[in-house]
Structures are given as structure tokens and as C-alpha cells.
């Protein structure tokens, strides 16, 4: 099932790249494996996937040592400061930084490990009370604050667009995210790179790609519906 689903997702990514005049290699597909058992992750790896995203620290810390293949893990869910130490050197990118205090904690833990941690700033682009992230107008100020931290590197922005049955409705949000990324990039802030734009999920990733996403987070499209009664 996963292999067939992946073919479909890949075709959709390629078509979206074609429509927007982009190269396929400009877009990284992250398989969102939250709540999925190890067997499904192994099946996805066998199908060719190498980038996986998890929402919860506990799941990450269980799955990382259990997967023997060389893959890259992304922390895409809300991250509490007291859990940073468990994953700071285990993931290639933290997508969900939405405060200076969180970035500061990441910096402290990364320094202990002797690494520089790559992060994205999460933007609440739809201004939804139920979502984490900073308001678009507050992003630059936060980035300037974080930029001075020596063991953190801001690599771009992330958003979770509002849920909708009609993907086209989120185009305006993805456009705003891209523009925000461009605007910040033009400021030439030291230690800040706007080379990554994480946006788009199973229901709207094609529109996100057309508007400039470099990372798309697809779970249901690859693995099928979530099962919350999972077992490793």
C-alpha cells in the first residue's frame, strides 16, 4: 500500500513542480510517521523514503534507536523546553520554534552537545487560536533575537495552514509565507538563511509547492489514515 501511495504522491509533487516551473529536487518530501508502527516506517524506507517527521518527543526517542537504516528525522510538532535535550542532536531540523525561550533552550542543549541546531520559525499564518506559531508581523523581530544564539541556525519558516477541504483556499496563506521568507531574506541578517519553507500537507501540498514550499509534510497520503492505538 505504501509503495503505491508514494507513487501517487510523487506524481503529484512532480506535476506541481512542472506547473510552477520548479525542479523536483527543490522539494523535499517528509513522511509524517506519527502514530505509525515501526513496520510501516520500515516499509516506507524500503519504498525509498529517507526523511521522516514526528510530532512528539516520546515517539521520536522510541523510534530513532529502533530504525537501523540511515534516515533523517524532523521534529515537526510543538516542542516543550524541558524535552529539547532528548532530541536536539537526534534530528536534522526542528520545524516548530515559536519563541525566544524555546530557541534559547535549544541553544543551551546544542552547546552541550557541541553542535549547531537547524531550526525553522513556526508562523501562525491563519491567525488561529488553536495553532502554535508567531504572528507574521512578529516574525522578523523574533528572528533578530534568535540570530545572536551561537548554536542555533535559523534556516527558514514553517506553517500549518488552516484545515480545508478545498486546497485552493490555502493558496493565499502559502503566498504570504513565501513573501515573508523573501522579505526576511532581503534583510541579510547574520546567521539567518531563508532557504527552507516548510508548508503543505496531504490535502494541500500541491498548492504549497506551486507557491514555493521546499519541504512538504505528508502523512495520510503515504501511510493512510492515522491509528492512535498504535504499538511499536
Amino acid at each position: 500500500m505504501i509503495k503505491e501511495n508514494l507513487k501517487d504522491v510523487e506524481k503529484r509533487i512532480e506535476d506541481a513542480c512542472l506547473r510552477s516551473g520548479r525542479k523536483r529536487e527543490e522539494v523535499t518530501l517528509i513522511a509524517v510517521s506519527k502514530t505509525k508502527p515501526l513496520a510501516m516506517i520500515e516499509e516506507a524506507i524500503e519504498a525509498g523514503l529517507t526523511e521522516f517527521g514526528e510530532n512528539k518527543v516520546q515517539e521520536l526517542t522510541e523510534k530513532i534507536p529502533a530504525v537501523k537504516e540511515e534516515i533523517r528525522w524532523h521534529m515537526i510538532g510543538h516542542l516543550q523546553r524541558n524535552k529539547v535535550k532528548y532530541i536536539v542532536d537526534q534530528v536534522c531540523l526542528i520545524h516548530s520554534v515559536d519563541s525566544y525561550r524555546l530557541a534559547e533552550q535549544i541553544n543551551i542543549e546544542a552547546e552541550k552537545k557541541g553542535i549547531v541546531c537547524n531550526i525553522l520559525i513556526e508562523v501562525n499564518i491563519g491567525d488561529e487560536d488553536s495553532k502554535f506559531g508567531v504572528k507574521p508581523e512578529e516574525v522578523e523581530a523574533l528572528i533578530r533575537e534568535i540570530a545572536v544564539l551561537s548554536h542555533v541556525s535559523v534556516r527558514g519558516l514553517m506553517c500549518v495552514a488552516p484545515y480545508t477541504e478545498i486546497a485552493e483556499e490555502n493558496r493565499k496563506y502559502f503566498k504570504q509565507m513565501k513573501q515573508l521568507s523573501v522579505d526576511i531574506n532581503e534583510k541579510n541578517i547574520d546567521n539567518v538563511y531563508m532557504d527552507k519553507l516548510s508548508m503543505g500537507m496531504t490535502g494541500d501540498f500541491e498548492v504549497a509547492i506551486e507557491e514555493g514550499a521546499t519541504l512538504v509534510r505528508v502523512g495520510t497520503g503515504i501511510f493512510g489514515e492515522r491509528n492512535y492505538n498504535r504499538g511499536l
Side-chain angles (χ1 to χ4, degrees):
M1 178 195 77
I2 288 173
K3 200 172 182 180
E4 286 70 37
N5 288 349
L6 181 58
K7 276 183 189 170
D8 176 61
V9 169
E10 270 297 336
K11 176 78 165 62
R12 289 166 63 190
I13 291 173
E14 284 168 19
D15 289 349
C17 286
L18 200 62
R19 285 193 298 273
S20 49
R22 300 180 67 194
K23 294 175 181 169
R24 170 62 187 90
E25 55 266 31
E26 290 175 35
V27 180
T28 298
L29 171 60
I30 298 171
V32 179
S33 49
K34 62 180 179 181
T35 78
K36 297 303 174 190
L38 208 52
M40 290 187 87
I41 294 171
E42 296 285 0
E43 195 182 332
I45 293 168
E46 209 172 289
L49 287 163
T50 58
E51 312 261 346
F52 289 80
E54 287 284 339
N55 276 55
K56 295 186 185 302
V57 168
Q58 187 182 340
E59 265 195 82
L60 257 176
T61 55
E62 289 171 359
K63 287 175 177 175
I64 288 172
V67 175
K68 303 307 175 195
E69 291 85 353
E70 282 291 312
I71 60 172
R72 285 157 57 88
W73 292 98
H74 297 250
M75 178 64 195
I76 60 176
H78 181 63
L79 180 58
Q80 293 169 298
R81 294 198 310 281
N82 64 347
K83 303 241 176 108
V84 168
K85 60 189 173 192
Y86 301 114
I87 57 114
V88 71
D89 61 338
Q90 301 290 308
V91 298
C92 65
L93 187 63
I94 296 174
H95 290 232
S96 48
V97 176
D98 60 359
S99 71
Y100 176 76
R101 290 181 73 195
L102 175 56
E104 186 180 41
Q105 191 63 41
I106 292 168
N107 190 67
I108 289 166
E109 299 299 339
E111 186 171 10
K112 287 179 190 172
K113 303 279 188 185
I115 61 168
V116 174
C117 184
N118 293 321
I119 67 167
L120 304 180
I121 304 302
E122 182 171 1
V123 184
N124 187 347
I125 198 67
D127 195 23
E128 297 175 274
D129 291 339
S130 60
K131 298 257 174 79
F132 293 103
V134 292
K135 293 180 178 180
E137 61 271 22
E138 296 169 354
V139 171
E140 186 187 335
L142 177 60
I143 284 176
R144 287 188 181 278
E145 220 181 340
I146 293 172
V148 301
L149 299 173
S150 57
H151 289 265
V152 168
S153 180
V154 178
R155 300 305 301 258
L157 307 175
M158 180 271 239
C159 78
V160 179
Y163 175 77
T164 175
E165 297 284 346
I166 304 159
E168 194 59 39
E169 290 178 356
N170 279 339
R171 189 178 296 276
K172 62 182 178 184
Y173 298 117
F174 297 142
K175 274 184 190 289
Q176 286 171 30
M177 286 292 294
K178 177 63 177 175
Q179 191 56 54
L180 189 56
S181 171
V182 168
D183 291 347
I184 290 166
N185 193 49
E186 286 174 351
K187 310 279 184 179
N188 292 316
I189 305 166
D190 284 349
N191 193 30
V192 173
Y193 310 86
M194 285 288 120
D195 57 322
K196 299 187 190 302
L197 190 52
S198 172
M199 59 187 192
M201 299 192 290
T202 294
D204 56 17
F205 70 81
E206 291 143 297
V207 176
I209 289 169
E210 288 167 10
E211 295 303 331
T214 68
L215 298 153
V216 292
R217 311 179 303 272
V218 180
T220 305
I222 295 169
F223 296 105
E225 291 301 324
R226 280 182 214 136
N227 171 20
Y228 286 98
N229 299 313
R230 63 174 188 91
L232 283 179

